Each structure stands twice: as C-alpha cells, then as structure tokens.
Amino acid sequence: MTPELVLDIFQRTLEVILILLLIILMPALAVGLLVGMFQAATQINEMTLSFIPKLLVTLATLMLGGPFMLNLLMDYIHRMFADVPYLIG
C-alpha cells in the first residue's frame, strides 16, 4: 500500500464525511441565523427560541435527506470493499 493510495482513501473519506455533515448542519445554521436576527430585532433573549427551531429543522433534514445520506454512505462502503483486493496487493 503506497502513501498515495492511503492519501486517496483518506481524501475520499473526508469528502463523504464533509457532504454528510453539510447536509445536516447547513439548514440548522440558516435557521439559527434567522432566529438570531429575529431575536436581535425584537430583543427577545430566550434560549429555547433558538434551540427548538434548529432541532426541528435538523430532524426534518434527517427525515428528508436520510435516504440520500444512506445511499452515499453505502456507495462509499461498497466501493471500499470492492477495492480491498487492489489495496492488499
């Protein structure tokens, strides 16, 4: 196993992780920003006002994006198992 091959596997792994994290975190970030702007405009400083919408959006994102995320992860795992003979020698 060459160093280039290890770096290629590591790069593909990081790409999959980044895509999976962005699918979950970007909607929560957008909702957090909107709620923060609303709180700044109305001067309401309630912690649950920012937590509950982010939680609901994250759950909705997981429900809607879950099949895509699962397919992405399964494709990566299948590709890794298919490449095992080439990785060994």
Side-chain angles (χ1 to χ4, degrees), residues 12-82:
R12 285 191 287 171
T13 304
L14 285 178
E15 288 172 358
V16 169
I17 290 170
L18 184 66
I19 291 170
L20 292 174
L21 287 176
L22 286 177
I23 290 172
I24 296 171
L25 292 179
M26 290 307 287
L29 177 68
V31 168
L33 182 65
L34 290 173
V35 170
M37 289 175 19
F38 174 75
Q39 284 181 328
T42 59
Q43 296 181 353
I44 299 173
N45 291 325
E46 180 64 33
M47 290 301 295
T48 57
L49 186 61
S50 64
F51 178 73
I52 299 296
K54 285 192 278 188
L55 179 66
L56 293 176
V57 166
T58 302
L59 290 175
T61 302
L62 284 173
M63 286 178 16
L64 295 175
F68 170 75
M69 293 167 56
L70 184 61
N71 284 334
L72 181 70
L73 195 58
M74 291 297 289
D75 289 342
Y76 174 73
I77 291 170
H78 283 290
R79 191 170 54 230
M80 287 300 294
F81 280 132

